[in-house]
Amino acid sequence: MDKLIITGGTPLEGEIRISGAKNAALPILAATLLADGPVKVGNIPHLQDITTTMELLGRMGVELVVDERMNIEVDCSTIRELFAPYELVKSMRASILVLGPMLARFGKAVVSLPGGCAIGSRPVNLHIEGLVKMGADVHVEGGYIHAKASRLKGAHLVMDLVTVTGTENLMMAATLADGTTVIENAAREPEVVDLANCLNAMGAKVSGAGGDTISVEGVDKLCGTHYDVLPDRIESGTYLAAAAITGGRVRIKDTRPRMLEAVIEKLREAGACVEVGDRWIDLDMKGSRLRSTNIRTSPYPAFPTDMQAQFTSLNVVASGTGTISETVFENRFMHVHELQRMGADIQLAGNTAVIRGVDRLTAAPVMATDLRASASLVLAGLVAEGDTVVERIYHIDRGYESIEEKLAKLGARIRRVPA
Ligand code: EPZ
């Protein structure tokens, strides 16, 4: 397995371009199953999760044409299997997103239960309950979800919990249902809005996305379109955190500052000078040391759980004591034990980490456990004294396009060592 070797101590300087959002591209690629004609999706990031999704669609018999700029044209007129196998779903939980579209378009779907992952049990009960309320006949057997529906019916759904992919699955299913579906307590993430915009470009009638109540008026068919996914707000926040932790000065381009307001607010609270333009964000530490911040993760527009690990690393080297409360997932502190091996002073109490800033971290061999935990270890390696070796970086490759190239462009001393 590949490793990253990072020599700490260099403040990052310069500018980089932000890639398309993984968590928008995944539901939008699933949504192509709903269309009668080919759908061309642009600004797709070059990530392992995208490759997995393409493999999944390909296995189903869907035609995929990819160009050198990672635009993907999907034509599902040749589809022959309505089946998402465990071997693919276990490697990427977001495969569950084909359930709603398959059921709505073809009236049948057999999709492996995703199972848990490092950060939590990750149930999909709310996805299933919503589809049942829309008239689907669903039973779980042998680790697979077996779903059937001659035609889904519009329903009034009140989500017990805010679930991003749950909202997305049900919104997609509702586009071809008979009647109108209302989803209350819906997820408000920008990726949900991007999916809704793509669905409407295909001829759907979705309104209210971005708010907590989404309404979908079912139509008889959706057509092909061309849609570019929005920039990745978590990649954006991660590179801003990298500039902050190294005491650098960085511009990130082709992003959307409005998607990151809670993160920008916390970076300013931590002592960073942050300026924003229409599609760029500048961060400059101006030689000052980071200050500790208190973070509590919550659904959008509050502070995102996907930036929690990165801010844990910021607090590790900040002045003062900061607390980080993780309210979305039950086991999202796997990075803490690895950071402690580098000299971090962190006390875990339930879903809260109390972090006393230290003056220096020392390099160590550390192990990535999940996507965003991996990012927090890279951030720590950028400031630790010596050469930090991050192992199992396949986790990172799932969500960060060419991370070592982008960081090296900003002056980081980082290299990938093939297994
Ligand atoms: C999406 O996961 C993202 N993934 C995650 O990003 C992100 O961390 C998460 O939303 C929260 O923002 C994609 O969009 C592909 P949830 P998702 O359903 O939809 C519970 C990354 O790093 N829940 O919003 O799976 C669940 O256990 C990944 O890019 C149920 O109980 O998350 C969790 O506690 C990691 N039953 C909470 O809701 C359900 O049926 C929120 O989960 C569904 C969810």
Side-chain angles (χ1 to χ4, degrees):
M1 288 181 253
D2 289 4
K3 299 174 184 173
L4 285 176
I5 299 180
I6 306 156
T7 306
T10 308
L12 299 188
E13 303 253 341
E15 61 180 47
I16 52 159
R17 180 187 172 277
I18 295 300
S19 304
K22 165 177 86 81
N23 290 350
L26 296 178
I28 285 171
L29 286 171
T32 63
L33 292 170
L34 293 162
D36 264 358
V39 180
K40 189 165 186 178
V41 189
N43 198 33
I44 297 256
H46 195 269
L47 299 172
Q48 182 54 48
D49 275 6
I50 298 297
T51 305
T52 305
T53 303
M54 288 164 59
E55 188 180 342
L56 174 61
L57 293 173
R59 288 258 196 108
M60 293 158 65
V62 171
E63 289 276 317
L64 294 150
V65 178
V66 191
D67 71 17
E68 71 292 339
R69 296 183 61 242
M70 276 301 279
N71 295 302
I72 302 177
E73 182 165 280
V74 185
D75 180 350
C76 64
S77 57
T78 56
I79 197 167
R80 61 174 184 278
E81 274 203 58
L82 300 171
F83 177 62
Y86 176 59
E87 60 174 295
L88 284 178
V89 177
K90 72 178 177 186
S91 66
M92 187 191 67
R93 303 187 63 268
S95 307
I96 190 72
L97 285 164
V98 299
L99 175 62
M102 260 201 279
L103 189 57
R105 174 79 191 287
F106 303 104
K108 183 174 176 295
V110 178
V111 176
S112 168
L113 276 171
C117 72
I119 64 177
S121 61
R122 313 289 295 276
V124 291
N125 58 307
L126 301 178
H127 300 233
I128 294 170
E129 286 164 23
L131 292 172
V132 168
K133 284 179 186 150
M134 294 171 74
D137 170 24
V138 182
H139 69 278
V140 176
E141 192 181 339
Y144 280 82
I145 302 165
H146 298 261
K148 279 200 185 107
S150 49
R151 186 177 185 187
L152 293 169
K153 293 188 300 300
H156 187 147
L157 310 174
V158 182
M159 308 304 289
D160 284 354
L161 277 171
V162 174
T163 160
V164 174
T165 51
T167 300
E168 291 168 344
N169 233 336
L170 295 169
M171 183 167 72
M172 288 190 281
T175 57
L176 294 178
D178 178 12
T180 298
T181 299
V182 175
I183 304 172
E184 292 201 54
N185 199 24
R188 299 169 54 188
E189 274 68 4
E191 293 76 26
V192 174
V193 177
D194 214 35
L195 173 61
N197 292 339
C198 180
L199 291 169
N200 286 339
M202 293 159 66
K205 292 180 178 174
V206 181
S207 56
D212 59 10
T213 302
I214 296 175
S215 177
V216 186
E217 189 185 329
V219 296
D220 293 335
K221 60 181 247 177
L222 297 183
C223 53
T225 189
H226 180 168
Y227 192 83
D228 290 340
V229 304
L230 87 173
D232 194 315
R233 62 192 166 98
I234 304 302
E235 186 194 25
S236 300
T238 303
Y239 285 109
L240 291 173
I245 202 168
T246 58
R249 187 160 60 94
V250 164
R251 167 169 290 198
I252 61 171
K253 301 186 304 180
D254 296 344
T255 186
R256 292 191 193 160
R258 277 186 51 75
M259 303 188 298
L260 279 158
E261 286 176 352
V263 173
I264 289 170
E265 186 51 41
K266 283 296 175 182
L267 287 166
R268 286 176 172 148
E269 206 179 294
C273 295
V274 181
E275 301 291 328
V276 302
D278 181 35
R279 291 194 175 274
W280 55 263
I281 302 173
D282 283 352
L283 183 141
D284 187 347
M285 283 308 293
K286 296 194 173 180
S288 59
R289 183 179 179 186
L290 281 166
R291 294 193 296 267
S292 297
T293 56
N294 296 322
I295 303 280
R296 181 179 175 79
T297 67
S298 282
Y300 192 88
F303 191 91
T305 174
D306 291 348
M307 283 299 301
Q308 179 260 102
Q310 298 90 317
F311 268 71
T312 302
S313 292
L314 293 187
N315 269 349
V316 161
V317 292
S319 63
T321 297
T323 61
I324 295 203
S325 294
E326 172 56 60
T327 72
V328 177
F329 291 111
E330 65 265 33
N331 186 36
R332 205 169 196 177
F333 282 124
M334 306 279 277
H335 46 291
V336 165
H337 312 299
E338 298 302 294
L339 292 170
Q340 286 167 334
R341 296 180 55 243
M342 298 175 74
D345 180 351
I346 306 176
Q347 300 302 319
L348 281 179
N351 73 341
T352 297
V354 179
I355 306 160
R356 256 180 220 80
V358 294
D359 295 335
R360 59 192 280 275
L361 287 178
T362 50
V366 291
M367 190 169 72
T369 52
D370 58 273
L371 171 54
R372 307 304 174 183
S374 320
S376 77
L377 299 178
V378 171
L379 294 186
L382 289 172
V383 289
E385 287 172 9
D387 292 348
T388 296
V389 181
V390 183
E391 303 191 355
R392 300 193 179 181
I393 57 166
Y394 58 84
H395 290 291
I396 278 201
D397 293 334
R398 293 189 50 183
Y400 289 95
E401 187 176 40
S402 317
I403 188 165
E404 71 271 20
E405 289 161 26
K406 291 192 176 185
L407 285 172
K409 188 167 183 286
L410 296 172
R413 286 176 288 167
I414 181 171
R415 60 195 170 88
R416 179 182 291 254
V417 175

